[in-house]
Amino acid sequence: MSKARRKREKPISTGSIAFRIGLGSGLNLLLIFIVLDLVVLGILLLPDLKNGPGAAEITIDSFNALKALLREWKLDILLRLEGLLVVLWVLFETLRVRAKLSPLQEFADAALKLSEMDGEAEQRYQKLENAIDMLSPAEDDQKLATGDAELAGLETAVNKLMARMRDSYRQQARFVSDASHELRTPIAVIRGYADMLDRWGKTDEKILEESIQAIKDESESMQHLVEQLLFLARGDSGRVPLNISGFDLSEMMQEVWEESVMIDKAHDYRFESGGNIPVCGDISLLKQAARILIENASKYTPEGGEIMLKSLVADGHPAFSVQDSGIGISESDIPHIFERFYRADDSRSKQTGGSGLGLAIARWIVERHGGHFEIVSRKDIGTRITVILP
Ligand SMILES: Nc1ncnc2c1ncn2[C@@H]1O[C@H](COP(=O)(O)OP(=O)(O)O)[C@@H](O)[C@H]1O
Ligand SMILES: [Mg+2]
């Protein structure tokens, strides 16, 4: 902060400004009175001037005679009255203008006060600056505290901001570490099979085939994982654009249903249309969200189980749902299933492939559309996940 002292200006006084304006206005009134008086005088003197000597020959005598005349006509009282009126007018105008200018005076006073507080404020900011300098962004329990009561509000705001930044930093760090961990596993598997190939694959046909298949599978799932990670990373940095268009939600769900029937013969897919449901959104992203729900339903439902897709209007909102007859999700897992890399223990033990990123992606898509999820699930009975759009 600059230490240069600002030059103290003399404060404005609205009183003297008001007096000058009042005086000007009084002089105007005086001028009007003089003109009027001259006119009146002219009219009164007109008969005498006609008979008497010419106006050019007015002398001391005639001036005294005029004064006497004025007194006789009681005009001197009028003149005094006019003088009094002018004085009163100046006073009145001064007071009126001063009242009008009073906000300006307050403003000037406040500015003066502020400039007087300058030094004090400077010290305070210096203290605040030092306190901020001392903060370390990594240490969680560190808080900004100068002990100055007047800075308490500012401190709370800075502390809240720091907490949010630390939170997002922690999330990012966890994401990177989880992602590396997830990628390490398929790489280790591929290396293992490559070693096996190297040792025995040249002679043992069975090992050769097994290894090639495993390497193919692992690299495929790794590719899928990398694509999911890229999607979320792009989403985090705001680089997934939405291509908004109007379309029929029922048509979209029908297409996804037909696709599922074709790809997955192991389950009994049904579709119930809610009629024409016009929505605005990115159809390919919403389809992707529906596919993620269907993929889970299929993964966590025994072969032959029924999977019901629906398009519907829920409380006036367009919606679609995927209901399965699978293993269900325990109540304690439900709050976490949308977290990145979260997988319920049951799903892990089933040895189904998966990364725990599917629902995180679905949530990103749905939230970008301003929508939300509703989940109903019973252990060993099934799960229904509904996406409700605005
Ligand atoms: N239809 C479902 N039935 C049972 N569990 C489910 C279902 N959908 C999701 N889950 C649970 O939520 C977790 C997260 O799902 P998801 O993010 O798609 O990851 P992934 O399917 O790769 O494990 C799953 O591991 C599973 O435990
Ligand atoms: Mg999944």
Side-chain angles (χ1 to χ4, degrees):
M1 187 167 295
S2 113
K3 294 256 182 284
R5 288 251 166 262
R6 246 164 273 144
K7 205 180 123 203
R8 298 270 145 82
E9 299 281 337
K10 221 182 127 200
I12 309 172
S13 158
T14 50
S16 78
I17 296 175
F19 178 66
R20 269 177 251 170
I21 294 175
L23 199 65
S25 163
L27 284 177
N28 280 342
L29 189 67
L30 189 66
L31 210 67
I32 293 170
F33 280 153
I34 289 173
V35 172
L36 281 179
D37 289 346
L38 285 178
V39 171
V40 170
L41 204 63
I43 293 169
L44 290 176
L45 285 179
L46 208 57
D48 290 339
L49 285 177
K50 264 185 194 155
N51 309 331
E57 291 164 54
I58 289 177
T59 59
I60 297 287
D61 274 354
S62 60
F63 188 69
N64 283 337
L66 184 65
K67 263 169 83 178
L69 251 163
L70 286 180
R71 221 169 284 136
E72 189 189 318
W73 292 332
K74 305 247 182 309
L75 275 184
D76 59 330
I77 297 176
L78 184 72
L79 286 182
R80 270 181 217 143
L81 210 68
E82 282 174 1
L84 189 69
L85 263 179
V86 169
V87 171
L88 281 178
W89 184 249
V90 170
L91 210 67
F92 169 74
E93 273 297 280
T94 304
L95 289 178
R96 190 184 67 87
V97 173
R98 213 180 68 163
K100 274 257 153 67
L101 288 181
S102 76
L104 194 68
Q105 185 68 57
E106 273 166 35
F107 193 67
D109 290 348
L112 182 72
K113 220 182 193 166
L114 269 182
S115 82
E116 277 167 4
M117 267 167 53
D118 242 17
E120 200 184 321
E122 237 166 61
Q123 265 180 11
R124 234 184 220 154
Y125 281 123
Q126 197 61 50
K127 209 160 99 188
L128 191 65
E129 232 175 73
N130 293 343
I132 290 175
D133 275 347
M134 302 283 285
L135 284 182
S136 139
E139 275 168 64
D140 270 1
D141 46 345
Q142 262 199 3
K143 283 212 163 92
L144 182 64
T146 57
D148 189 328
E150 284 193 38
L151 293 177
L154 195 62
E155 278 174 12
T156 315
V158 171
N159 283 332
K160 273 187 185 157
L161 180 70
M162 291 273 289
R164 280 217 304 276
M165 276 161 60
R166 282 179 182 137
D167 220 43
S168 120
Y169 171 74
R170 247 198 317 271
Q171 267 176 27
Q172 288 291 331
R174 212 185 94 192
F175 184 50
V176 170
S177 116
D178 286 349
S180 332
H181 181 79
E182 289 296 318
L183 283 169
R184 206 181 292 144
T185 315
I187 290 173
V189 173
I190 290 173
R191 274 201 65 169
Y193 278 103
D195 279 350
M196 207 157 88
L197 267 180
D198 194 25
R199 274 188 219 165
W200 301 292
K202 292 156 201 151
T203 48
D204 192 330
E205 187 114 345
K206 214 173 135 243
I207 285 187
L208 180 74
E209 254 162 42
E210 190 195 333
S211 306
I212 290 175
Q213 193 54 48
I215 289 172
K216 269 182 165 173
D217 290 349
E218 279 304 317
S219 49
E220 208 172 284
S221 76
M222 204 164 124
Q223 187 185 352
H224 184 57
L225 175 64
V226 169
E227 273 161 13
Q228 285 183 314
L229 287 172
L230 276 177
F231 184 98
L232 285 170
R234 277 199 215 107
D236 284 347
S237 58
R239 279 182 293 134
V240 178
L242 291 193
N243 286 318
I244 304 289
S245 64
F247 59 92
D248 180 3
L249 198 60
S250 295
E251 248 171 55
M252 180 193 98
M253 283 310 277
Q254 172 147 7
E255 282 168 33
V256 181
W257 169 66
E258 283 165 4
E259 197 182 281
S260 308
V261 171
M262 240 171 31
I263 300 170
D264 176 15
K265 305 280 184 211
H267 296 94
D268 177 16
Y269 285 94
R270 311 258 166 123
F271 172 55
E272 203 179 286
S273 167
N276 182 34
I277 305 172
V279 287
C280 264
D282 186 318
I283 185 165
S284 72
L285 283 181
L286 286 174
K287 253 189 189 173
Q288 193 181 336
R291 283 192 200 113
I292 288 169
L293 301 184
I294 294 166
E295 195 192 294
N296 283 345
S298 134
K299 229 161 53 171
Y300 304 116
T301 302
E303 276 193 22
E306 189 188 283
I307 296 172
M308 169 70 101
L309 313 185
K310 276 186 194 170
S311 63
L312 63 152
V313 177
D315 288 330
H317 298 291
F320 62 88
S321 67
V322 176
Q323 182 174 331
D324 62 46
S325 44
I327 61 172
I329 309 169
S330 71
E331 220 167 290
S332 58
D333 282 326
I334 288 182
H336 302 291
I337 57 170
F338 291 98
E339 287 168 13
R340 293 174 184 190
F341 297 110
Y342 188 87
R343 306 191 68 204
D345 287 338
D346 297 345
S347 338
R348 291 174 194 276
S349 61
K350 285 250 158 178
Q351 290 296 307
T352 45
S355 57
L357 288 177
L359 286 182
I361 291 176
R363 177 171 75 172
W364 188 91
I365 294 171
V366 169
E367 286 182 352
R368 268 305 295 273
H369 281 82
H372 65 276
F373 292 86
E374 250 172 45
I375 303 164
V376 182
S377 189
R378 281 277 178 76
K379 278 245 108 8
D380 301 319
I381 292 181
T383 303
R384 184 178 69 217
I385 300 188
T386 310
V387 171
I388 297 162
L389 296 171

